[in-house]
């Protein structure tokens, strides 16, 4: 079972890294970029048998450690 | 007065804190390894600067789960004095002992230079030796000093005077250009509601001997000694 957690800054939180990446892309000639937000991807390989219990556990991991609830939000994807 | 300086894997300012407390201020100091669960009768515990756990995941995110932090939370709840410096401040935020969070400096640069701060409160155990509004000079050295907090909480912090230090210019004016990292409301240091836990980004232990450029930081340690002496 693989869980992929995507941790990103909450909307409204200033992301200077995202802005800088956007400027770099634009200076490379890419057009039409409205916004860039930079986050992190955490991959967990789990021994769980059921997707539901894996999702539940990973959600608790996010709440406890993987994301800082003050400024970050997360998305979980679980696949066999 | 007995001070404890916690050492996490990756802390690198612990020895400076010990040196200042023991050799400059002649206090009893013990180093507390992060896996300890006892605080050995310390009156004040310092969380020093550095890169605990390599700043992995988020700065201070893993250190906050060290065994000693549970004892520290109980100690703080009982009114024990806790001083978090730089990474120590970040650990206090991650552990919820202080509200808010740290983001990367808006400049995206690691900033290592002197800053001036204004002392906003002198009625705390950390600042009773300062004058209200005093402009002090201490060095910062950090990549994540951009303090953020929910608007509702910020209003409460301001109203209840939990902001203890603000970045300012040499004349004591709080301005955008004197804010090195984009920190909300130019907050450089704040305390909890009870006033016994303080976190600040600048390094007072690097500003405790005039030969090194400033001795303003020493006043924080002297305030603590003063507070304990009159306790």
């Amino acid at each position: 079972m693989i869980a992929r957690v995507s941790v990103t800054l909450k909307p409204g939180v200033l992301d200077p890294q995202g802005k800088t990446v956007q400027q770099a892309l634009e200076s490379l000639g890419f057009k039409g970029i409205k916004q860039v937000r930079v986050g992190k991807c955490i991959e967990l390989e789990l021994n769980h048998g059921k997707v539901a219990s894996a999702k539940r556990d990973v959600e608790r991991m996010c709440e406890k450690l993987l994301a800082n609830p003050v400024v970050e939000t997360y998305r979980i994807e679980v696949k066999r | 007065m007995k001070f404890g300086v916690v050492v996490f894997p990756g802390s690198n300012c612990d020895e400076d804190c010990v040196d200042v407390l023991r050799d400059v201020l002649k206090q009893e100091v013990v180093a507390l390894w992060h896996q300890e669960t006892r605080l050995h009768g310390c009156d004040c515990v310092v969380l020093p600067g550095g890169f605990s756990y390599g700043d992995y995941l988020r700065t201070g995110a893993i250190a906050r789960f060290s065994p000693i932090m549970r004892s520290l939370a109980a100690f703080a709840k009982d009114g024990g004095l806790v001083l978090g410096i730089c990474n120590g401040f970040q650990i206090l935020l991650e552990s919820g002992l202080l509200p808010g969070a740290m983001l990367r400096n808006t400049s995206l640069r690691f900033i290592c230079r002197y800053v001036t701060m204004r002392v906003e409160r002198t009625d705390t155990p950390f600042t009773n030796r300062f004058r209200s509004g005093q402009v002090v000079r201490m060095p910062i050295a950090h990549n994540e000093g951009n303090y953020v907090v929910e608007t509702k909480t910020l209003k409460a912090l301001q109203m209840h005077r939990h902001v203890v230090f603000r970045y300012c210019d040499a004349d004591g004016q709080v301005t955008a250009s004197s804010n090195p990292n984009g920190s909300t409301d130019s907050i450089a240091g704040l305390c909890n509601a009870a006033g016994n836990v303080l976190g600040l980004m600048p390094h007072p232990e690097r500003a405790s001997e005039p030969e090194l450029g400033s001795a303003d930081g020493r006043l924080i340690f002297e305030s603590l000694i003063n507070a304990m002496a009159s306790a």
Side-chain angles (χ1 to χ4, degrees):
Chain A
M1 191 93 60
I2 302 273
R4 261 192 203 98
V5 178
S6 173
V7 180
T8 49
L9 290 171
K10 284 179 169 167
V13 177
L14 188 71
D15 182 9
Q17 206 178 186
K19 191 96 188 80
T20 305
V21 169
Q22 183 176 350
Q23 285 165 350
L25 289 170
E26 285 164 353
S27 76
L28 289 172
F30 292 102
K31 296 197 190 324
I33 303 173
K34 273 183 93 173
Q35 190 185 220
V36 177
R37 306 280 282 171
V38 178
K40 60 179 86 127
C41 175
I42 301 164
E43 237 178 55
L44 301 110
E45 221 177 292
L46 305 164
N47 286 328
H48 292 57
K50 295 200 161 88
V51 168
S53 72
K55 235 183 189 150
R56 238 181 0 250
D57 269 4
V58 173
E59 192 162 314
R60 277 174 46 226
M61 291 178 202
C62 288
E63 293 290 323
K64 192 110 205 248
L65 176 69
L66 301 179
N68 180 328
V70 179
V71 285
E72 290 174 331
T73 182
Y74 58 87
R75 246 183 3 253
I76 304 171
E77 202 184 86
V78 181
K79 276 203 281 249
R80 287 203 174 278
Chain B
M1 191 183 178
K2 189 173 183 184
F3 286 86
V5 179
V6 178
V7 185
F8 297 96
S11 295
N12 65 12
C13 301
D14 49 300
E15 292 201 16
D16 282 348
C17 287
V18 170
D19 284 355
V20 165
L21 290 164
R22 186 190 55 210
D23 301 334
V24 176
L25 289 154
K26 312 291 183 211
Q27 301 297 303
E28 191 187 350
V29 201
V30 291
L32 298 166
W33 180 233
H34 75 116
Q35 284 180 339
E36 282 255 32
T37 49
R38 288 171 306 158
L39 298 178
H40 299 281
C42 287
D43 303 297
C44 173
V45 178
V46 179
L47 297 183
F51 297 87
S52 59
Y53 291 93
D55 280 359
Y56 289 168
L57 189 64
R58 292 184 306 278
T59 160
I62 299 174
R64 66 152 289 204
F65 289 114
S66 282
I68 200 160
M69 287 304 293
R70 205 173 274 181
S71 315
L72 191 73
F75 175 74
K77 192 156 180 237
D78 276 342
L81 296 168
V82 179
L83 174 66
I85 302 168
C86 201
N87 188 219
F89 183 11
Q90 292 159 343
I91 295 167
L92 288 173
L93 292 170
E94 281 284 339
S95 71
L97 284 169
L98 288 173
M102 279 300 175
L103 290 179
R104 199 151 163 205
N105 298 341
T106 46
S107 63
L108 300 180
R109 287 188 156 97
F110 185 100
I111 303 171
C112 185
R113 62 170 173 80
Y114 275 97
V115 294
T116 36
M117 297 194 286
R118 194 173 68 196
V119 181
E120 306 287 48
R121 264 186 84 167
T122 53
D123 58 335
T124 78
F126 309 89
T127 51
N128 57 62
R129 292 298 302 265
F130 294 95
R131 287 184 323 275
S132 191
Q134 183 174 347
V135 176
V136 295
R137 204 166 150 267
M138 285 183 225
I140 56 169
H142 61 250
N143 205 349
E144 284 90 12
N146 178 1
Y147 178 73
V148 292
V149 65
E150 288 167 350
T151 311
K152 198 174 60 186
T153 311
L154 176 65
K155 284 192 175 21
L157 290 180
Q158 291 163 333
M159 194 163 65
H160 300 294
R161 299 170 58 240
H162 293 177
V163 179
V164 179
F165 295 103
R166 277 195 175 84
Y167 299 111
C168 66
D169 65 17
D171 300 317
Q173 299 304 305
V174 174
T175 63
S177 57
S178 61
N179 184 335
N181 47 41
S183 168
T184 303
D185 197 19
S186 292
I187 292 170
L190 63 119
C191 66
N192 63 343
N196 63 311
V197 178
L198 177 86
L200 79 162
M201 286 312 289
H203 289 263
E205 79 285 9
R206 295 186 193 180
S208 289
E209 294 154 281
E211 295 88 341
L212 293 182
S214 169
D216 291 344
R218 188 182 159 143
L219 292 168
I220 293 181
F221 302 115
E222 288 182 6
S223 296
L224 284 161
I225 295 164
N226 189 35
M228 290 313 305
S230 33

